[in-house]
Amino acid sequence: MIMASRRSLWLAAFALAFSAVAGAGHAGETERIQAEKPSPDKPLGVVELFTSQGCSSCPPADAFFAELATKDDIVALSYHVDYWDYLGWKDTLSRKENTERQNDYMRAFGSRSVYTPQAVLNGRAHVNGANRGEVDGALARMAKSGEGMRVPVKVSRTSDRVIIDVGDAGAGPSDAHVVIVYFEPPQTVKIAQGENSGRKMTYWNAVTGIQTAGMWHGKAQRYELPMSEITKKGGCAVLLQSVGKDGMPGPILGAAFIHKPPNKAQDL
């Protein structure tokens, strides 16, 4: 009877210890998953799609991009370029500055030519923008390898201003530009000529302007913008982007939406 009691106590103690170890392991796994989960001030990544209404290869990329643009953990920006306009249809959303940004990325990546649809991910790599597996896979790999959004960017508002709080980099990079990107609300375009003649396409987050709001030097810093500048635009995002000595765009370290218009397309 005494031996049975001791055996019961030993089994109970063993079960308790095993439960504690298993619980600690489960808690650690939960913490790891939570740490990897994107937050509002640290999204999964930034997707910059270079596209054109005159490119026959672009509609699948534009459709996939529309899905990305509705996600809360992706800062998705679409740059319509102008070098396909000669094919018979002038892209209604194209801008020379968008083509220049793509050319800057080309030089930064050491590439010899530009193409559409091209998706630049976190300012670090480029893939075919219509390839869902490559885009999703690259963003996931970057997030795990420390090439994702490493610096928190938080946006708040008052009645007359927008406040952008950029966090501390710790032992990471020490210099970057605070870049403000303006874009259009989603809009539907009827393409009458060119390679996509007869199509009716909805385009999301088409970029209309880019400006540098300031410099960041690795330490937590606050930036302010007048609310009037933000509200008169369709949408607005902030990118914390490193820039090379030659002025070429580099890795994007942090990002956030300042203003994201409703997900309702307008017909043009």
Side-chain angles (χ1 to χ4, degrees):
M1 191 72 175
I2 295 176
M3 291 180 60
S5 298
R6 287 178 178 176
R7 185 170 181 273
S8 299
L9 289 173
W10 181 84
L11 288 173
F14 176 80
L16 183 61
F18 179 81
S19 176
V21 171
H26 179 72
E29 179 68 11
T30 301
E31 290 174 1
R32 183 186 67 80
I33 293 172
Q34 289 176 344
E36 292 176 355
K37 185 178 180 180
S39 62
D41 57 356
K42 277 190 180 182
L44 176 64
V46 175
V47 177
E48 297 177 273
L49 176 69
F50 293 90
T51 186
S52 172
Q53 295 171 9
C55 163
S56 61
S57 302
C58 288
D62 296 321
F64 173 44
F65 180 85
E67 297 178 29
L68 295 175
T70 60
K71 293 185 176 182
D72 293 331
D73 62 345
I74 298 287
V75 175
L77 302 166
S78 178
Y79 299 81
H80 286 246
V81 299
D82 60 3
Y83 50 79
W84 295 127
D85 289 355
Y86 78 92
L87 294 177
W89 175 257
K90 185 182 185 307
D91 191 314
T92 60
L93 300 170
S94 66
R95 300 176 68 255
K96 179 183 177 182
E97 292 80 2
N98 293 346
T99 303
E100 291 173 352
R101 182 165 176 84
Q102 187 181 28
N103 284 323
D104 286 344
Y105 269 130
M106 175 200 71
R107 288 188 284 271
F109 294 144
S111 302
R112 294 185 177 181
S113 62
V114 295
Y115 64 93
T116 54
Q118 180 187 41
V120 175
L121 310 175
N122 297 349
R124 296 177 181 271
H126 65 95
V127 300
N128 186 322
N131 193 317
R132 182 186 301 264
E134 287 191 355
V135 172
D136 290 343
L139 288 174
R141 287 193 299 273
M142 289 181 185
K144 290 180 180 179
S145 65
E147 294 182 326
M149 302 295 100
R150 301 174 57 185
V151 180
V153 177
K154 184 178 180 181
V155 175
S156 56
R157 300 171 179 81
T158 67
S159 59
D160 63 347
R161 72 195 66 185
V162 170
I163 301 167
I164 302 170
D165 286 301
V166 180
D168 194 290
S174 59
D175 287 294
H177 288 189
V178 178
V179 180
I180 309 300
V181 184
Y182 299 99
F183 58 88
E184 295 279 7
Q187 48 193 284
T188 301
V189 178
K190 296 178 181 179
I191 302 174
Q193 298 176 358
E195 292 189 346
N196 291 318
S197 178
R199 284 182 176 268
K200 187 176 182 181
M201 298 290 300
T202 299
Y203 296 101
W204 291 70
N205 300 4
V207 171
T208 59
I210 305 175
Q211 70 180 63
T212 300
M215 289 287 295
W216 173 82
H217 300 292
K219 300 297 181 182
Q221 191 168 343
R222 171 169 288 186
Y223 306 83
E224 295 186 1
L225 298 174
M227 181 66 77
S228 58
E229 284 298 305
I230 303 302
T231 55
K232 69 182 181 182
K233 310 290 184 178
C236 189
V238 56
L239 307 178
L240 184 67
Q241 184 163 31
S242 59
V243 177
K245 293 181 180 179
D246 54 1
M248 295 299 101
I252 296 173
L253 312 174
F257 281 112
I258 297 176
H259 172 62
K260 194 173 181 181
N263 296 338
K264 184 178 180 181
Q266 303 173 354
D267 287 324
L268 291 183

